[in-house]
Amino acid sequence: MSVEVQKRNPIENFVASAESVCELNQNIKLKEIQLLAKNNLLNSQFPTLKTEEWKYTNLKKLLSYDFANSSSMEKVVVSNNEIDKLKSSSFDSHLLVFVNGIFEKELSDYSELSNQIFISTISEAFESDNELVKKYFSKISMENTSFDFLNLSNFVGGLFIHIPKNVVIEKPIQILNITGNAGDISFSSSRNLIIADENSESTFVQKHVGLKGEIYFNNISTEIYVEKNGILNFYNLQLDNDDSYHFEKTDVIQNRDSQFHHYNFTFGGKLVRNDINAKLDAENIECTLNGLYIANDNQHIDNSTFIDHAKPHSTSNQLYKGILDDSSHGVFAGKILVARDAQLTNAYQNSNTILLSKEAKVDTKPQLEIYADDVKCTHGATVGQLDESALFYILSRGIPREKAKSMLIAAFAESVLSDLKIDALKNEISHLIFEHLNRDEIL
Amino acid sequence: MISIKNLKAEIDNKEILRGLDLQVNAGEVHAIMGPNGSGKSTLANVLTGNENYEVTGGEVTFNGKNLLNLAPEDRARERLFLGFQYPVEIPGVSNAIFLQTAINEIRKYNNQEEITPKEFLDRMKEKAKVVGMDSSLISRSVNTGFSGGEKKKNEIFQLLMLNPKLAILDETDSGLDIDALRIVSQGVNEFKNKDNAVILVTHYQRLLDYIIPDFIHVLYNGKIIKSGGKELALELEEKGYDWITKGEK
């Protein structure tokens, strides 16, 4: 006698919720895109440990849950008081608030900003037949993984932000992404499109925070275009709950003479996957992808970067630093592709990890594919404990051991922090490092 | 002040100090010289508690206490100071935070009040001047981006800030140009008084033109094989070490 075991396919659950999202969608154009994504999702498979790009990150646990789409659940009410506590308030900013992936206009504070730039939800932009949104939306990540399809087919209330030509925004734009407390285990898909037009200059601080409550799965997608001679700084601060799953993908296409500087600070999440992909699609581009990730307990933080040098004369810099305590696990996989045309490319990649416990571990995987012959490309990776001789130096001044260790941790983090142009944010992050590691502050 | 008897120490199972004796009293300056590999830096590191070295025998009494039983941070709190041969860079930690923390930890241990911010700042400015360092030093990170000479000056600056009872200076003069050497020496001369003591570990007699020692010891093969007054330096400069080390193993 044989028993046929019905194997549960985790994709089906997400496809079903995508169907309801599509059904409710009023805009034909957007609906078309989401339906296609839903079909792509249906025909795709979630990566396994056998998938090269995912070989260090086990998704079994994540995919064992039947997550419900938070947008179909009762709306979580967040008060203005709570917003004040959750946002970064040590520096002045324009504030854009998302709750469970959906933009909340009432909780946001950006009246000043809306005179300078164009902000609307993506569906509103489609409704008003916006040419830019039609041209650029979902164009970068269309051909990618099941998590893209999942995001695209299930997102409801993302933003389209257009910084017009020559506009310089002095104050940072803070995107506060609040997740959780939906009432059941839920997933949220937040999705934004940012176009930084010619000669524009802007700084984004994206802060992810979790509300107390159930396990949630945050699947985030950000598409960014930096046009000619534009500058965009993007500081991403992730403080999701300890039990949460945080999957975030950032795709960037840069035009000539532009600068894009991305800083990724990861503290939260039980299982985290960050994908940052930059295409340097013209000459004389500067691209920075830096990151600092701090993990304890059983946290698993997987950072994956891809820099595509498609044209000559551009520079990319990557520095990823991890501080891993307890039984945490870090991953850094950085791929650099230099096309045959991309002569005189400078591409630098570095990954440094400090292991604070014997059980912590890190996997690093640099991958350089170089087809041009006149380029400067370097990569390096170090893994180690806190430097004993440096520790002795500090101890020999009478400073207690725990504080001496904190000083060395601060010293390690400094090369990522020192570039931040917002001092208050830098202070906030260095405070978070010690808080997360449960260690003495230096002062 | 410090009394070292039959001190033996090893690193990676290799014996470096093989029964060293030394007595230093308050108000004295001792210079320890000797060829490379004789154990000079090992002595400095063992006295300040570097855990890479293992003490295998002997005893060290510092102000009446068994020094070898103390953790490195407690030795500093007992007012022992090491000027490092290779000072460490600590980016992201300012000199002010570093030294204020150190001073207050030392004070706490000795049941003294914390230093007031004003007192601390005044002291920093005053001592920075002695070693010819800009007062912007206060907010700069410890040794970060400093040249070799600046790092050594910073060691002397720390010495003046912490004002220990015994200062061990491990090759503080190595790699310095004459101007920096003068400044460093001036700092040490400013530091020393009848209540404290200095042990200079050096390769070069040149330092002793600027800091006049009361005693010179020749360390060879982990032992002091000759001691004398300041004139011994000149003899060593002229004749090298061979005339002393001959016959020693």
Side-chain angles (χ1 to χ4, degrees), chain B residues 94-237:
Chain B
S94 72
N95 279 303
I97 287 178
F98 185 68
L99 285 170
Q100 200 174 358
T101 308
I103 287 174
N104 282 334
E105 290 293 342
I106 293 168
R107 288 192 171 203
K108 200 158 72 185
Y109 180 89
N110 291 293
N111 297 316
Q112 290 167 323
E113 295 269 310
E114 286 200 349
I115 192 165
T116 67
K118 185 182 180 316
E119 204 185 328
F120 176 73
L121 268 181
D122 289 348
R123 192 175 170 82
M124 267 199 104
K125 281 182 195 151
E126 182 201 326
K127 303 303 180 192
K129 214 177 277 170
V130 176
V131 291
M133 293 181 97
D134 199 84
S135 59
S136 71
L137 168 81
I138 293 166
S139 55
R140 283 175 71 186
S141 295
V142 180
N143 290 326
T144 309
F146 285 23
S147 69
E150 280 177 311
K151 284 180 183 168
K152 295 297 179 72
K153 281 190 216 168
N154 197 32
E155 292 297 287
I156 299 306
F157 171 66
Q158 290 183 18
L159 166 71
L160 294 169
M161 287 298 291
L162 300 178
N163 194 27
K165 286 252 183 281
L166 174 63
I168 303 167
L169 303 178
D170 188 9
E171 297 199 21
T172 305
D173 56 321
S174 300
L176 294 185
D177 62 29
I178 195 72
D179 290 331
L181 181 68
R182 279 196 191 113
I183 288 171
V184 159
S185 307
Q186 199 181 319
V188 176
N189 287 328
E190 167 128 354
F191 162 74
K192 69 173 192 191
N193 60 37
K194 64 177 176 30
D195 298 319
N196 61 29
V198 179
I199 298 175
L200 300 168
V201 172
T202 182
H203 267 302
Y204 306 107
Q205 183 272 330
R206 185 182 68 156
L207 174 69
L208 309 180
D209 293 341
Y210 295 91
I211 308 171
I212 313 295
D214 300 297
F215 301 95
I216 293 177
H217 310 279
V218 177
L219 185 58
Y220 181 72
N221 229 342
K223 278 183 191 171
I224 287 174
I225 55 165
K226 189 168 181 65
S227 296
K230 60 180 183 244
E231 61 292 341
L232 180 57
L234 292 170
E235 230 174 324
L236 291 169
E237 180 76 359

Side-chain angles (χ1 to χ4, degrees), chain A residues 387-390 392-401 403 406-408 410-412 414-415 442-443, chain B residues 45 48-51 73 76-77 81-82 84 88 90-93 97-98 101-102 105 143 155 158 162:
Chain A
D387 181 358
E388 283 298 324
S389 59
F392 175 60
Y393 183 75
I394 302 174
L395 292 174
S396 81
R397 299 304 183 238
I399 294 169
R401 192 167 287 264
K403 209 167 248 188
S406 293
M407 285 182 174
L408 291 179
F412 179 75
E414 177 63 14
S415 52
I442 291 170
L443 248 199
Chain B
N45 276 282
T48 37
N50 188 334
E51 282 150 14
E73 57 272 33
R77 295 163 187 171
F81 177 90
L82 173 63
F84 280 64
V88 171
I90 318 171
V93 177
I97 287 178
F98 185 68
T101 308
E105 290 293 342
N143 290 326
E155 292 297 287
Q158 290 183 18
L162 300 178

Side-chain angles (χ1 to χ4, degrees), chain A residues 115-396:
Chain A
N115 299 326
Q116 291 178 284
I117 70 174
F118 181 83
I119 300 182
S120 83
T121 65
I122 285 163
S123 46
E124 278 166 6
F126 272 101
E127 275 307 300
S128 60
D129 224 22
N130 184 299
E131 289 302 323
L132 285 172
V133 92
K134 284 195 291 182
K135 187 172 169 194
Y136 290 106
F137 177 73
S138 82
K139 289 296 185 294
I140 309 183
S141 41
M142 214 36 201
E143 55 204 317
N144 285 316
T145 67
S146 40
F147 290 103
D148 284 301
F149 301 135
L150 171 58
N151 174 287
L152 188 54
S153 61
N154 275 281
F155 95 98
V156 175
L159 279 187
F160 167 53
I161 298 174
H162 176 221
I163 303 152
K165 207 168 158 178
N166 300 327
V167 169
V168 175
I169 305 165
E170 305 280 346
K171 258 200 264 178
I173 300 168
Q174 181 171 179
I175 299 174
L176 180 63
N177 195 19
I178 304 167
T179 316
N181 210 14
D184 201 353
I185 54 170
S186 64
F187 79 99
S188 297
S189 309
S190 91
R191 183 176 189 99
N192 295 323
L193 168 64
I194 301 170
I195 299 175
D197 227 321
E198 250 179 80
N199 288 318
S200 73
E201 207 174 321
S202 56
T203 297
F204 287 81
V205 177
Q206 179 165 254
K207 187 176 182 184
H208 306 276
V209 290
L211 295 172
K212 293 280 159 277
E214 304 73 17
I215 292 162
Y216 61 82
F217 169 29
N218 217 344
N219 189 30
I220 298 152
S221 170
T222 309
E223 291 175 289
I224 300 172
Y225 290 83
V226 189
E227 294 300 341
K228 288 176 193 159
N229 213 38
I231 299 176
L232 196 147
N233 301 307
F234 201 103
Y235 304 136
N236 197 40
L237 176 55
Q238 197 264 91
L239 301 169
D240 266 315
N241 282 356
D242 294 346
D243 293 327
S244 71
Y245 294 83
H246 182 102
F247 282 48
E248 179 163 9
K249 188 155 176 287
T250 307
D251 294 287
V252 187
I253 293 186
Q254 288 185 256
N255 209 333
R256 64 172 303 149
D257 308 314
S258 69
Q259 293 180 37
F260 176 70
H261 305 291
H262 188 272
Y263 286 79
N264 211 11
F265 298 97
T266 303
F267 293 94
K270 178 193 182 71
L271 178 64
V272 177
R273 166 77 174 207
N274 295 313
D275 280 282
I276 303 115
N277 306 322
K279 184 167 188 179
L280 281 51
D281 208 14
E283 299 192 4
N284 194 34
I285 288 166
E286 240 184 80
C287 177
T288 310
L289 304 185
N290 286 2
L292 179 67
Y293 55 104
I294 318 288
N296 58 13
D297 294 336
N298 292 308
Q299 278 185 290
H300 179 98
I301 297 173
D302 179 345
N303 295 295
S304 178
T305 65
F306 175 38
I307 295 191
D308 181 358
H309 278 272
K311 299 281 157 60
H313 278 292
S314 289
T315 298
S316 65
N317 281 294
Q318 296 184 72
L319 174 63
Y320 261 77
K321 289 195 152 187
I323 303 174
L324 305 177
D325 204 353
D326 303 329
S327 313
S328 61
H329 186 188
V331 179
F332 175 75
K335 182 175 172 183
I336 299 172
L337 172 65
V338 182
R340 240 176 81 178
D341 270 358
Q343 298 295 358
L344 299 167
T345 286
N346 294 311
Y348 308 105
Q349 182 194 88
N350 250 300
S351 154
N352 311 120
T353 316
I354 279 189
L355 305 176
L356 294 177
S357 91
K358 284 202 173 78
E359 288 74 36
K361 86 177 227 208
V362 66
D363 288 295
T364 50
K365 187 186 147 206
Q367 198 186 341
L368 270 60
E369 270 180 43
I370 300 167
Y371 299 102
D373 50 21
D374 190 7
V375 299
K376 242 186 249 163
C377 295
T378 62
H379 72 88
T382 62
V383 182
Q385 282 87 38
L386 292 176
D387 181 358
E388 283 298 324
S389 59
L391 190 64
F392 175 60
Y393 183 75
I394 302 174
L395 292 174
S396 81

